[in-house]
């Protein structure tokens, strides 16, 4: 069942189009992340769903029903903000009970429901404490419990882990996903942190400048980015500009690589993920592949589990490669090496346009009442 549907939704602040004609659906029990750089429209999208902002165009449906005319508290949506927004003068239990009282749940049910969510967030013994007696991670879990206790149709999390230090964030990420999946709650998480989106969400929607650039699983987006923007936002790449010549990608300064698969027509950019590049020393016995380039290690960074190399070719061009530290000896600065790239690891992409396969309703301009227009379209 579809819990949330956004249909050609737009939001403008003055001259600025914060959300530009976006459409997506979220199915029951799914965890979806809105991922993108600062200012791309993630929070505005979340606020539109929550009812804190009104769209200029399009419609938002929760469980098949338009919520355009519903106030935030009528939408059955739970919210967790990055600053948790717990009431400092209330105990954990009272904080959690607040939402129940607001929604008219009979007080006789309070205790059982509070216990159940405190168990869910693994804090059964913390009900009597004040927020200031909790760590950042525990406060975050109480905020989550407070949102979950009302059994919302949809949970909205805005950068839920950004106030925590890096180590705690990594640990809580795993725990948060486990809590959300065991509660079976349909969730939207807003984040600008790609690893957070990749580890927490089943489905990622990458946004830029108010538009959806691509959507898919973490693996789909990483291994088959639809544009240079997505490839750069999710992970790193070495970029080359050139043209296609038969089954090869050729640059003006003489780089020529065999490529695999279908490529977009016209001038293209070629991206190569650093970890997909093999760096072989002269003594390596492995057979030479189709894309083998001679170079010299210009710089090396030893980062423990990985080793980063910057290799310079004879034409002066540099490439960044990341190799796993498997305990065997690795190439050193100044050493001559052979760099190898498999044709299937050459990502041929157009510049920063949204994915052309993204559904868009180009008939629609910004209008003041999307609902009226939607109804009109249904009739015509
Ligand atoms: P961040 O990660 O920095 O929170 P974001 O992707 O969530 O960014 P939004 O907060 O949705 O981005 O903002 C999208 C654009 O709309 C930005 O350019 C922002 O300046 C603008 N904007 C957001 N809220 C308002 C507002 N209340 N008034 C005017 N402009 C706004």
């Amino acid at each position: 069942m579809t819990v949330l549907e956004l249909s050609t939704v737009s939001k403008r602040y003055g001259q600025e189009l914060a959300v530009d004609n976006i459409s997506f659906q979220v199915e029951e029990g799914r965890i979806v992340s809105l991922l993108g750089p600062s200012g791309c429209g993630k929070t505005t999208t979340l606020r539109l769903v929550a009812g804190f902002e009104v769209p200029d165009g399009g419609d938002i449906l929760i469980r098949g029903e338009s919520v355009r005319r519903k106030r935030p508290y009528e939408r059955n949506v739970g919210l967790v903000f990055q600053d948790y927004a717990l009431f400092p003068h209330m105990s954990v239990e009272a904080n959690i009970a607040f939402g129940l009282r607001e929604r008219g749940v009979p007080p006789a049910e309070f205790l059982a429901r509070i216990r159940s969510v405190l168990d869910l967030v693994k804090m059964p013994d913390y009900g009597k404490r004040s927020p200031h007696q909790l760590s950042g991670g525990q406060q975050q879990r109480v905020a989550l419990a407070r949102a979950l206790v009302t059994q919302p149709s949809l949970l909205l999390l805005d950068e839920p882990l950004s106030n925590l230090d890096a180590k705690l964030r990594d640990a809580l990420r795993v725990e948060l996903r486990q809590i959300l999946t065991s509660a079976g709650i349909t969730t939207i998480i807003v984040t600008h942190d790609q690893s957070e989106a990749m580890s927490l969400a089943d489905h990622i929607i990458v946004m830029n400048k108010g538009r959806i650039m691509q959507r898919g699983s973490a693996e789909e987006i990483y291994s088959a980015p639809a544009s240079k923007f997505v490839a750069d936002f999710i992970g790193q790449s070495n970029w080359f500009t050139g043209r296609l010549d038969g089954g090869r990608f050729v640059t003006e300064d003489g780089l020529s690589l065999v490529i695999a698969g279908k490529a977009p027509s016209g001038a293209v950019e070629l991206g190569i993920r650093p970890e997909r590049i093999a760096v072989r020393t002269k003594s390596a016995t492995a057979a030479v592949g189709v894309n083998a380039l001679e170079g010299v290690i210009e710089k090396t960074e030893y980062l423990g589990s990985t080793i980063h190399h910057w290799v310079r070719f004879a034409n002066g061009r540099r490439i960044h490669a990341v190799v796993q530290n498997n305990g065997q000896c690795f190439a050193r600065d100044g050493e001559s090496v052979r760099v190898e790239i498999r044709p299937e690891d050459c990502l041929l992409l157009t510049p920063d346009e949204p994915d052309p396969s993204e559904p868009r309703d180009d008939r629609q301009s910004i209008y003041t009442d999307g609902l009226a227009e939607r109804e009109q379209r249904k009739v015509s």
Side-chain angles (χ1 to χ4, degrees), residues 355-369:
D355 183 351
S357 63
E358 272 303 317
R360 282 176 66 79
D361 184 353
D362 290 326
R363 292 167 304 172
Q364 186 201 16
S365 55
I366 304 303
Y367 50 82
T368 49
D369 192 343

Side-chain angles (χ1 to χ4, degrees), residues 13-14 16-19 36-45 47 53 82 158-159 190-192:
Y13 294 112
E16 185 158 1
L17 200 48
V19 173
S38 181
C40 73
K42 313 177 290 286
T43 302
T44 303
T45 305
R47 290 175 61 81
E53 300 287 352
Q82 49 181 286
D158 190 1
E159 305 270 6
V190 158
T191 180
H192 62 271

